[in-house]
Amino acid sequence: MSVAMFSLKGRVAIVTGGSRGIGRGCAETLADQGATVVLTYVRGEAAALEAVKSIESRGGQAKAVQADVAISSEMDALVETTVKEFGHLDVLVANAGIAIDGLLLRLKDDDLDALVGTNLRGSLASARAAVKPMMRARYGRIIFISSVVGEMGNAGQTAYAATKAAIIGAAKCIAREYASRNVTVNVVAPGFIDTDMTTHMSDAAKTSLLAGIPLGRTGQSAEVAAAVAFLASTEASYITGQVLRINGGLYM
């Protein structure tokens, strides 16, 4: 009997910020492929429980846990309880992030601190906690969610883009540090995806944006999640330190 490609049966995954948007899409897709998924949220408990319900309705297994990636002790506790409950941790999708836009001259220190705390420090704290059991097991998949603006830049998003660019640099370093333990580390860099972060854009802004995307449309969370599921799979075992762009050709 043949085994389906990209199967994650028997794997345990943590998806930070998994209650909505790209994070929820990743949680649902990983669960559809057979993984047990622990998804985190900070304030949106109702959305997180709805995501779990959606996964369970399709025969998957999921659990929602309140945890703030910006507080490293909470990520340490999350990984510890996940391993204790499910026996191991195989996949981390470091997705949790915030966006605060503004020109450099209007950038407030508090906004900069918040962006760095959640997007960068939170991603690294998540990976630091997750890599410990992965090292012991000599197996792991760490997938960071960055952004197209971390590579190409965008006016009015200096601080946000800086955190997303830093994630790419960090991922390459971590990939080199833990390759000998069979832990792969990659980045998925989405373009403009239909999520809560993009719904606030004006029609004029969306029209201007679409003009720069060769495929002529925004992306869907499921399209990002499919790339994440591939990188989480056994079939991606020879891929590490890479950036996979899901952006419709906006940046090549």
Side-chain angles (χ1 to χ4, degrees), residues 20-249:
R20 59 190 178 88
I22 290 173
R24 175 167 174 171
C26 291
E28 292 178 341
T29 299
L30 293 178
D32 286 345
Q33 295 303 107
T36 296
V37 177
V38 177
L39 59 93
T40 74
Y41 68 95
V42 176
R43 287 177 291 275
E45 181 180 21
L49 294 177
E50 175 58 33
V52 170
K53 183 178 179 181
S54 173
I55 289 169
E56 291 177 341
S57 70
R58 299 203 296 267
Q61 184 175 2
K63 177 181 180 180
V65 177
Q66 185 176 29
D68 188 344
V69 297
I71 303 174
S72 59
S73 60
E74 293 192 8
M75 299 315 298
D76 291 338
L78 172 69
V79 169
E80 184 178 342
T81 56
T82 296
V83 172
K84 185 175 294 185
E85 181 172 353
F86 299 109
H88 48 97
L89 174 63
D90 307 292
V91 180
L92 168 70
V93 182
N95 163 78
I98 60 173
I100 303 174
D101 297 341
L103 297 172
L104 176 63
L105 287 175
R106 297 176 182 173
L107 178 62
K108 299 176 181 177
D109 286 347
D110 287 347
D111 291 342
L112 177 58
D113 290 344
L115 284 163
V116 171
T118 297
N119 296 0
L120 179 55
R121 191 172 68 240
S123 293
L124 295 182
S126 301
R128 184 177 59 194
V131 81
K132 295 175 185 177
M134 291 179 179
M135 285 176 59
R136 290 194 294 269
R138 302 190 72 84
Y139 181 89
R141 300 282 186 266
I142 296 175
I143 303 155
F144 292 99
I145 304 299
S146 180
S147 169
V148 64
V149 302
E151 293 192 286
M152 67 177 283
N154 191 40
Q157 291 190 300
T158 297
Y160 174 76
T163 62
K164 292 300 188 177
I167 286 171
I168 294 174
K172 291 177 181 290
C173 295
I174 300 168
R176 290 183 181 277
E177 289 180 5
Y178 297 101
S180 64
R181 299 301 182 96
N182 198 31
V183 177
T184 65
V185 185
N186 292 289
V187 180
V188 170
F192 287 88
I193 309 299
D194 284 330
T195 66
D196 294 345
M197 285 189 178
T198 57
T199 53
H200 69 281
M201 295 176 66
S202 66
D203 290 340
K206 288 181 180 179
T207 299
S208 176
L209 169 66
L210 292 175
I213 301 175
L215 286 181
R217 65 175 177 85
T218 54
Q220 301 298 314
S221 294
E223 293 173 305
V224 179
V228 169
F230 165 63
L231 290 174
S233 71
T234 301
E235 286 81 357
S237 60
Y238 201 54
I239 301 173
T240 196
Q242 304 304 309
V243 180
L244 181 52
R245 301 171 180 133
I246 315 296
N247 62 33

